[in-house]
Amino acid sequence: METPPVETVAACSAVQGIPLITKFSELVTPPESCCSWWRPFWLLFTVLMSTIVAALLVALLPLIVLLTLFRRAWSCYACSRYHTQPSKLKIAVIGGGWSGLQCISRLRELGVRDITGFERNDALGGTWHPKLRYHSIQVHGAMWVTSFDCYPYNAADRDANDGKVLGAEAQNYVKRFATDKGIEALYQFNTKVVAVKYDSAQRTVAPKGEVVAPKQPARLVVEDLDGNRSESGPYDLVIYASQASEPNIPDIPGQAEFEGKILHSLDFKTAQFDEIVRSKAKVVVVGGSMAACDLALCFQRAGYETYDWVFRTPYLFWKYEAVFHNRSFLNALRGFSTVVGLLLSLVSQTLAGWMFWGSGLAVTYGKVHNNWCKFHFGVLCPQQRRDLSKITEEKRHRANPKRYYAGGLELDDGRKLAADYVLFGTGCQSGINKIALVKDGQPFDLDPEARMLNYFVVPTFPVFANSTSLWTTFGPVRAVNSADMAIYHLCVRETMTEEQMRRKASWQMGGSMNSTSGLLFQSTSFTLRVWVVMHLDLMAAGLVDFFDFMWHVIEIFSLSRQTALKFRILPQYRPQQHEHDD
């Protein structure tokens, strides 16, 4: 494992009392009481269900072992050779955040030499770039789960690696990785990809067993800051690697009548916060997600009183210190109950929710409920929970915005909230729908509900892959699997026609994840079930085996560490690191 140097942190001060780096040991005492009358019953249920699931796994172990051995034998045979060498590929990656960087790094390890990255902003960073990160944002998870593969944030200080950092320091870490890996030079900055062109006649479907040279059927139309457009390419594959680049603002009637300002969290910078405080403006925060919590916390921590918070149903979260725990034996057991809850999500949202509440993993900022469609892998640390609890009920409004009026926002229960600013913490869109697709000279519409082959490739536009849909794990490490899938698609498995890919994708149980909003920003979906079903589909396709999946989730939730999920779909290789770091 390569260990990055521990450098001086970003040259910026703490924000609203939140230090640049919050170590695990510096997290405040959890504010919740463990003496609720219902807690023993849920705890008993958690132990009982964990025992039952463990017994079932033991009973099914012979069958699981047999299927795993069969799958690995098939993998050794079917994935034993490249029909196209990765070194002959040309690949474009859209997005300069940590997913794009991790994807490029892995592609280079696998032998791809000709890679071009495109970033619309002036520097790397993605979510953590100043144009996208909002005021006082912290990385929500522990740094060990948001680190690059084999490149920990701070290997010399486990306490810091178990902690969290402000957005400015997260961008520093991203830049450090890019510099050490020599990736920054591969990017074109201030360059927006506006279209992808696909010439299906140039796509080669090779007879089985034959080695062919790729014909690179994709080209990009890019735009610079002055609006000048040009073409780039050709490429064998274009990988979209941007998760949250576009604001998602609900369409509420009366916007033209409203005399104040409307901002999404992406547009809420320190300058806007300072202006609100200086002018003593009235603020309404809309939304119940992690971003909305962050917005509300900005004002609560500043002691600012002239704000209201509107949400329909309080979102559910996992407790930071429970999911990113201290690796004690009891916490490891609780981590196994989390794995059991994930498996139960296939059967019942209610049972899975009871597991999380019973183990002490779940938390919310409002009335306890069990609607886990209001959970999007959000995490709240003890300090966030403590500060959210200080927001009075008078400032919280469980309602839907109905319409704007000149002086504020009217709710569906008839109340009117005066506002100079309406701030939306309502999630983001990936921005993939902003890219025009052109197939054989004709516009091509990307169906938001179309199933992607292996949650990655668009079957009817097979030069375009969506890395944000292959959400195999957390943080940038998931993009390792995107790179593996790209090489498997282009160089290992038998090349399929568009119809063959479409038919194979139709066999999946899922895969029609909304390609516009992405997995984490679909407010009506049971995200946990979608995530587990995706892994079952990958197992059914022979890309992952059950043992590797189970080890992966146990590693994260019981052992509090993370490595990339093993796909075992590529020929054995020995990457020569010095070849890629020159």
Side-chain angles (χ1 to χ4, degrees), residues 402-582:
K402 181 180 179 181
R403 68 176 184 88
Y404 295 100
Y405 67 97
L409 191 65
E410 181 180 346
L411 308 182
D412 60 1
D413 60 7
R415 286 177 292 175
K416 290 186 175 182
L417 301 177
D420 301 304
Y421 284 81
V422 176
L423 306 181
F424 285 93
T426 47
C428 299
Q429 297 181 349
S430 69
I432 196 172
N433 60 317
K434 301 291 186 180
I435 298 178
L437 301 181
V438 180
K439 181 176 180 180
D440 299 329
Q442 299 298 318
F444 179 86
D445 293 326
L446 182 63
D447 183 358
E449 301 302 324
R451 293 192 174 184
M452 288 166 282
L453 178 61
N454 305 136
Y455 294 73
F456 186 61
V457 176
V458 181
T460 51
F461 204 93
V463 296
F464 197 42
N466 189 359
S467 177
T468 64
S469 293
L470 191 63
W471 195 277
T472 52
T473 189
F474 310 101
V477 171
R478 66 180 181 271
V480 169
N481 294 138
S482 297
D484 287 356
M485 190 71 80
I487 299 303
Y488 177 68
H489 173 65
L490 294 171
C491 302
V492 178
R493 72 174 159 199
E494 181 182 350
T495 310
M496 293 181 286
T497 64
E498 293 178 17
E499 177 57 27
Q500 287 173 327
M501 286 187 283
R502 189 199 61 77
R503 186 166 60 249
K504 193 167 184 178
S506 71
W507 298 342
Q508 297 171 180
M509 293 180 286
S512 57
M513 288 184 291
N514 190 297
S515 56
T516 298
S517 62
L519 171 64
L520 296 187
F521 303 114
Q522 299 178 62
S523 61
T524 59
S525 65
F526 184 21
T527 305
L528 287 170
R529 181 179 293 156
V530 172
W531 191 75
V532 176
V533 165
M534 178 188 68
H535 286 86
L536 291 179
D537 276 332
L538 295 176
M539 292 180 210
L543 305 175
V544 179
D545 63 50
F546 185 78
F547 271 119
D548 285 335
F549 169 70
M550 284 299 295
W551 172 248
H552 186 65
V553 292
I554 287 173
E555 185 181 40
I556 294 173
F557 297 111
S558 286
L559 304 181
S560 275
R561 68 187 191 200
Q562 178 175 243
T563 55
L565 175 64
K566 291 183 179 179
F567 268 12
R568 303 180 192 270
I569 55 176
L570 301 178
Q572 292 296 317
Y573 66 94
R574 297 181 182 277
Q576 302 298 314
Q577 190 63 38
H578 66 274
E579 295 179 5
H580 314 315
D581 294 339
D582 291 340

Side-chain angles (χ1 to χ4, degrees), residues 247-262:
N248 181 33
I249 300 180
D251 185 13
I252 300 173
Q255 183 173 341
E257 181 184 350
F258 181 52
E259 296 175 354
K261 295 181 180 180
I262 300 170

Side-chain angles (χ1 to χ4, degrees), residues 121-167:
N121 292 317
D122 59 359
L124 299 172
T127 300
W128 314 115
H129 187 280
K131 285 190 176 181
L132 291 179
R133 69 175 187 253
Y134 49 83
H135 173 68
S136 78
I137 185 175
Q138 278 183 301
V139 175
H140 295 141
M143 290 308 295
W144 64 258
V145 83
T146 51
S147 287
F148 292 100
D149 187 41
C150 299
Y151 196 91
Y153 168 70
N154 192 338
D157 188 345
R158 188 175 189 175
D159 198 19
N161 219 42
D162 288 349
K164 54 197 298 191
V165 303
L166 285 174

Side-chain angles (χ1 to χ4, degrees), residues 247-473:
N248 181 33
I249 300 180
D251 185 13
I252 300 173
Q255 183 173 341
E257 181 184 350
F258 181 52
E259 296 175 354
K261 295 181 180 180
I262 300 170
L263 297 176
H264 187 268
S265 58
L266 293 182
D267 304 311
F268 182 64
K269 313 300 183 185
T270 299
Q272 282 72 38
F273 174 77
D274 290 343
E275 171 60 23
I276 288 172
V277 174
R278 184 194 62 78
S279 63
K280 299 180 181 179
K282 303 180 186 70
V283 176
V284 174
V285 175
V286 179
S289 67
M290 189 72 244
C293 291
D294 286 340
L295 294 177
L297 284 172
C298 286
F299 299 105
Q300 189 279 325
R301 287 169 172 167
Y304 192 77
E305 293 295 329
T306 317
Y307 74 97
D308 292 280
W309 185 12
V310 177
F311 53 87
R312 290 174 297 181
T313 304
Y315 270 53
L316 297 174
F317 298 88
W318 281 342
K319 295 178 182 176
Y320 184 102
E321 74 280 8
V323 68
F324 308 123
H325 54 73
N326 61 3
R327 302 170 184 87
S328 69
F329 178 72
L330 288 178
N331 276 325
L333 289 179
R334 175 160 57 184
F336 179 74
S337 74
T338 304
V339 176
V340 173
L342 290 172
L343 297 177
L344 284 177
S345 68
L346 294 169
V347 179
S348 168
Q349 178 186 146
T350 301
L351 292 179
W354 286 352
M355 288 291 297
F356 301 137
W357 284 113
S359 67
L361 180 67
V363 71
T364 186
Y365 49 79
K367 185 178 179 180
V368 172
H369 65 87
N370 209 32
N371 178 10
W372 284 82
C373 289
K374 292 298 180 181
F375 173 75
H376 292 167
F377 288 107
V379 178
L380 290 174
C381 75
Q383 185 169 1
Q384 290 170 316
R385 304 196 309 266
R386 181 199 64 187
D387 293 345
L388 284 170
S389 69
K390 295 177 182 178
I391 299 176
T392 63
E393 287 299 319
E394 289 74 17
K395 295 186 181 301
R396 305 182 186 210
H397 307 274
R398 292 194 59 175
N400 279 320
K402 181 180 179 181
R403 68 176 184 88
Y404 295 100
Y405 67 97
L409 191 65
E410 181 180 346
L411 308 182
D412 60 1
D413 60 7
R415 286 177 292 175
K416 290 186 175 182
L417 301 177
D420 301 304
Y421 284 81
V422 176
L423 306 181
F424 285 93
T426 47
C428 299
Q429 297 181 349
S430 69
I432 196 172
N433 60 317
K434 301 291 186 180
I435 298 178
L437 301 181
V438 180
K439 181 176 180 180
D440 299 329
Q442 299 298 318
F444 179 86
D445 293 326
L446 182 63
D447 183 358
E449 301 302 324
R451 293 192 174 184
M452 288 166 282
L453 178 61
N454 305 136
Y455 294 73
F456 186 61
V457 176
V458 181
T460 51
F461 204 93
V463 296
F464 197 42
N466 189 359
S467 177
T468 64
S469 293
L470 191 63
W471 195 277
T472 52
T473 189

